[in-house]
Amino acid sequence: MIRPPLVDEGIELWRIARDSQTLDLNSSYAYVLYARDFASTCRIALVGGEPAGFVIGYRRPADPSCLFIWQVAVDERFRGLGLAGRMLDDLLHDDVVSPPVRILQTTITDDNAASQQTFRSLARRWNDAPMVVTPLFESAHLTHPSDAAHHEPERLYEIGPSM
């Protein structure tokens, strides 16, 4: 089952993100807020009643017809079932979401082949919508000079409008 998350499921979103060990982890508080304040542009996938994955998105303030996908995560136990694509499809085809989504944006690092493939596949399913990839944030924007960790550059993937 795929649906908007409930506030009580915000901590499950955080757990899935934490356990992925690949996503930039926000605070548990932030995921509860996403579930409360952005439920209409987020999705949770349940498998056997258990939270298995999520998509967090929001409308771009400058263009409400643009949906920006912040994070996509699927619990390792449920990968390979197509949950990420199904959650994204559910968002794009939600008749309640207004205005309708014309453009979908996300950022992906160059080393994240799985996410790149997920969004390429989404563009094909969305009536072969055009997809343009451009630089958005370089490492210097995302890594503090005193931090030993290095963040890869994020490329902007823009899909749409759907044909």
Side-chain angles (χ1 to χ4, degrees), residues 77-103:
R77 297 170 296 153
F78 301 104
R79 291 185 186 150
L81 301 176
L83 293 178
R86 290 183 9 222
M87 289 184 287
L88 290 164
D89 288 346
D90 192 76
L91 271 172
L92 287 176
H93 298 98
D94 187 342
D95 294 335
V96 177
V97 175
S98 182
V101 176
R102 290 186 11 77
I103 302 289

Side-chain angles (χ1 to χ4, degrees), residues 36-68:
R36 185 191 75 173
D37 294 343
F38 297 101
S40 67
T41 55
C42 297
R43 291 296 180 268
I44 188 168
L46 303 171
V47 175
E50 185 176 353
F54 70 83
V55 170
I56 294 175
Y58 64 89
R59 297 291 187 138
R60 295 283 317 272
D63 180 3
S65 72
C66 178
L67 177 64
F68 185 89

